[in-house]
Amino acid sequence: MKRYVDAAKSYEAFVNKYGFKNVWSDDVVANLVGVYLDHVRDFPAALRWSKIYREKFPMGHMAQHVSFYEARALKESGKIPEAQATLNEAITRFGDSMVPIYDSEDTFVDLVPFV
C-alpha cells in the first residue's frame, strides 16, 4: 500500500498503547527503524528508534539487523565516522552470532553468520 508514514504512526501508536513489554514490541520497534530509514527517509527518527531498540531489547532477535540499520542511518546522515564506529561495535557484540533472515512475508528463511 506504500503508506509508510501511516505505518510508522500505527507502529508508534502500538508502542504507546501496549508498551515495550508486549511480545511484539521488539518487532514493532525494529520495523519503525526500517520504515523510517528505507521508506520515509527520516534518518533522525530511524536513529531515535534504533537507540530505543538497543535500550529496550539489547539482545532481541532483531538486534543485529537494527545495528546495521543504525549504521546506515548514520551514513545517510553524513556521519561516516559514527557509522563505522557503530559497525565496529556491532562486530564486537555480534561477530560470533548467527543472523536470522526473513522474507518479505516475515517468514524465517535461514541463519547466516554475522561476519
Side-chain angles (χ1 to χ4, degrees):
M1 296 183 345
K2 301 185 191 255
R3 294 174 43 207
Y4 300 113
V5 172
D6 290 339
K9 288 178 184 177
S10 294
Y11 284 137
E12 289 184 26
F14 177 93
V15 170
N16 289 334
K17 182 174 182 178
Y18 297 107
F20 296 105
K21 302 269 186 207
N22 183 282
V23 69
W24 298 110
S25 293
D26 61 335
D27 289 301
V28 169
V29 175
N31 286 340
L32 273 163
V33 179
V35 167
Y36 278 123
L37 176 62
D38 292 330
H39 301 291
V40 179
R41 311 273 303 156
D42 182 341
F43 307 125
L47 290 167
R48 184 176 64 252
W49 285 103
S50 69
K51 180 180 179 187
I52 290 169
Y53 190 94
R54 281 188 289 114
E55 290 172 358
K56 302 293 184 183
F57 313 104
M59 297 310 290
H61 74 281
M62 294 298 289
Q64 297 101 325
H65 293 276
V66 171
S67 67
F68 286 134
Y69 297 160
E70 182 175 0
R72 285 181 46 224
L74 288 164
K75 181 181 174 227
E76 293 290 333
S77 298
K79 299 176 180 179
I80 306 304
E82 293 92 336
Q84 188 60 56
T86 297
L87 285 176
N88 292 342
E89 178 188 341
I91 289 168
T92 299
R93 283 186 66 207
F94 304 116
D96 294 331
S97 66
M98 302 295 280
V99 179
I101 303 298
Y102 300 92
D103 68 12
S104 62
E105 301 298 317
D106 271 347
T107 301
F108 173 77
V109 175
D110 201 358
L111 289 172
V112 299
F114 186 79
V115 290

